[in-house]
Amino acid sequence: MNDMSRRAALASPKGEGRPDNARPRPARSGPFGVLDIGSTKIACLIGRAESDGRLRALGFGWQKGSGIKAGGIVDLDEAERSIRAAVGAAEDQADMRLKSVVVNLSCGQPQSRLFNVQWPIDGRAVTGDDIRRVVREARARASTEGRGTIHVLPLNFASDETGGVADPRGLYCDTLTAQLHVVDAASTAIRTMTACLERCELEISAMVSAPFAAGLATLVEDERELGATVIDMGGGTTTISVFAEGHLLHTAQLPIGGIHVTNDVARLLSTQVAHAERLKTLFGSCQESPDDVRELLHVPLVGEAEYQLAKVPRSALVSIIRPRLEEIFELARDRIETSGLGRAAGGRVVLTGGAAQLVGARELAAHILNRQVRLGRPFGVIGLPDAATGPNFATLIGLLAFATGDGQTMHDLDFTAEAPSGAIGRILNFLKRRL
């Protein structure tokens, strides 16, 4: 299979011809409801996982984003209407009603930090309770007033001097050392999102960092192991995630996205935002061409009669779009370098999101980031409309992958609450593992 056919297989909406290592076998089958709340669109997907790891869509709905800015809710009424419309369409198609959803988090200025925790074992075997205590210790250390913890992800363990342990349960040691990745966000933004979904009669079963979800949807297993950076160019924000050794190591968010490109076009060409979006979508590029000067675009002007159109060379549109994309990629490069994970991230970047589909974006990113860049489409979901299989739906599909267990370790351990002890606790843990 050559490179072109391999990319086509990965992008296949029906999941045919995908490599065996595209997604691990699911820990949970579902069905699950997931909700992607973005600045330009709100999308809901109801689906389940097949035994071979492929995802199957049971219901899908999306709505133009309203009441959302930079991933955060700014108008509860407008956001509620958009969410209800998207969720209602998915429920009708799946012929079921959702009580809870897995939702993305891209608001509240999320931050990503690594912690090393040492826990005394005193020569006995490591138990699940020890691992829970290590996770709670990392959560306590990361706790900051006004911030809410979203993820505490165990990356690796060391049993005394033996490192690289994925699951230390049953190993004898004096000291258990763990490296954990903590992602948190402003508590007020989390409470606002929770309140909005409660108005929609929905509970949050899990909240997932948006760049984490985008990576789960677009990276193959080898990229996760060898190291890769995912840049998800959304409408209101651009998110960055670094994966290596099979784990999410770092996330970051930039307050710039496709909306800013559209607004630049609208402002500098004196046209309405809707027309600017159309020009960007149909004729937009960040790659110059000799024919751009001769190709004229008809642009309706703000406040003028509909028949009064300005003629603007396509080169003018390119000269507006390119600087904004250069800014995004330069900021992304700086974030990757300051994270200290440049080497761990390897030399590969996966570009996804709606704005990544602009002509020349991939080549421009490769030039500025000085890395190999490919366009990342989410792995095919059986039963999903073709229009929903593009890079702009990567986060949504990644949320469904997360719900089925992808990206999570030690599924049988509950890290959210104190583990019960005694005979009753053992019975409850047994039932949890079986249900």
Side-chain angles (χ1 to χ4, degrees), residues 261 264-266 268-269 315-325:
V261 178
D264 288 346
V265 173
L268 295 176
L269 295 185
S315 58
L317 181 63
V318 175
S319 67
I320 295 171
I321 293 174
R322 185 181 176 92
R324 181 64 81 171
L325 261 66

Side-chain angles (χ1 to χ4, degrees), residues 205-252:
S205 59
M207 195 172 287
V208 183
S209 172
F212 188 13
L216 295 180
T218 56
L219 293 180
V220 298
E221 196 65 26
D222 284 345
E223 287 173 324
R224 295 193 207 181
E225 288 291 337
L226 299 176
T229 301
V230 179
I231 300 178
D232 183 8
M233 304 177 69
T237 61
T238 295
T239 63
I240 304 165
S241 55
V242 176
F243 286 77
E245 298 181 1
H247 298 289
L248 174 71
L249 300 184
H250 182 72
T251 66

Side-chain angles (χ1 to χ4, degrees), residues 6 62-63 74 146 168 203 211 305 345 388 403 435:
R6 184 178 294 109
W62 77 281
Q63 187 74 14
V74 296
E203 296 179 358
L435 295 178

Side-chain angles (χ1 to χ4, degrees), residues 24 38 49-50 52 95 107 146 180 183 187 205 225 236 244 275 332 377 416:
E50 304 292 337
D52 61 359
D95 194 22
C107 60
L180 303 104
V183 180
S187 300
S205 59
E225 288 291 337
H275 291 305
R377 299 177 65 89
T416 60

